[in-house]
Amino acid sequence: MKQKNYHYVLTIAGSDSCAGAGIQADLKTLTALGCYGLNVITALTAQNSLGVQSIYAIDADFVQAQLTSIQADFPITTVKIGMLHTAEIINVITSTLVKMQVKNIIVDPVMVAKGGAKLLTPEAVAALELLLTHASLITPNIEEAKYLLQIDTITAKDMVEVAMQLSQKFRTNVLLKGGHLIEKDCIDVLYLYQLQQLQRFKAKRIITPNNHGTGCTYASAIAAFLARGNNLESSIERAKDYLTGALIAGRHYKFGQGHGPVLHFYKHWE
């Protein structure tokens, strides 16, 4: 019998104790889409559907130990990065990934939780910006784009220009997500740095309180499709379709008293 190989994806992110976002959402997404998720945990959070109550950063040396252990045993071609929290952790990850020469590095620049809790220390911003220059794709939402460019407002009309500015600043491909805008449809703008080309991805807006972890899920889905051999544009298109399906299926469930998660395994549930 011919031996099969897994499609490995390494996720580097924080842990969500209610399992709707972070490492837990990443692993659910990767599994649902046919990949084997490996993980490096950067922080622990005490959180529920109402918000984040506490954050405990993992020591940077132990983050390095996790990365070293994974690198020594598995062929890593695709990495998805989420919450990093401190400058020390970010610097360790950046230097290690540069040495590893990973083909696909997808960075979701997680800065603020849906409930408003800051997930990145102020001194970590400069370190994050250096990491972004080594990414093959970054996936900021509107609030993160405002923070990274130090601008006050972004409208639907501004998205193309903002995506281009982010791409030029960090010298990489940018997927600017429009989910935080008040529009009938959710439109994301992809700007390809090398080709200087633009593409839009549109999906119907799903009205639901169960939208916790959408950014983590979207970035992980893109990573999964890349790991399975799709090109970037196809990976984003398929990931957006997957996320939309997970939002639709998850809106019928009651979860805690606040924001619930999307339903990652909707294709396998009755």
Side-chain angles (χ1 to χ4, degrees), residues 12 25 35 47 49 58 64 79 90 96 101 123 126 132 135 153 155-156 160 162 170 174 176 205-206 213 263:
I12 305 173
C35 290
Q47 66 176 295
S49 69
I58 304 298
Q64 176 71 76
V79 174
I90 296 170
T96 303
Q101 297 183 321
E123 58 271 17
L132 297 184
T153 59
T155 68
V160 169
V162 169
F170 299 111
V174 174
L176 179 60
R205 182 176 297 277
I206 308 303
L263 186 58

Side-chain angles (χ1 to χ4, degrees), residues 185-244:
D185 296 317
C186 288
I187 299 177
D188 306 327
V189 173
L190 171 67
Y191 188 80
L192 299 171
Y193 176 68
Q194 294 288 352
L195 298 176
Q196 297 185 22
Q197 292 180 355
L198 187 76
Q199 188 169 342
R200 291 177 175 84
F201 300 87
K202 183 172 75 171
K204 181 180 178 181
R205 182 176 297 277
I206 308 303
I207 306 302
T208 173
N210 296 334
N211 54 10
H212 179 52
T214 50
C216 305
T217 299
Y218 196 3
S220 293
I222 294 169
F225 287 117
L226 284 170
R228 294 183 64 89
N230 295 271
N231 65 27
L232 182 58
E233 294 92 329
S234 174
S235 294
I236 294 171
E237 183 175 20
R238 297 182 70 177
K240 192 168 181 69
D241 287 344
Y242 165 75
L243 176 59
T244 300

Side-chain angles (χ1 to χ4, degrees), residues 24-25 27-33 242 246 249 262-270:
Q24 289 82 357
L27 295 178
K28 290 175 185 178
T29 301
L30 295 170
T31 303
L33 296 177
Y242 165 75
V262 305
L263 186 58
H264 294 92
F265 295 107
Y266 68 95
K267 292 185 178 181
H268 307 282
W269 286 29
E270 295 181 0

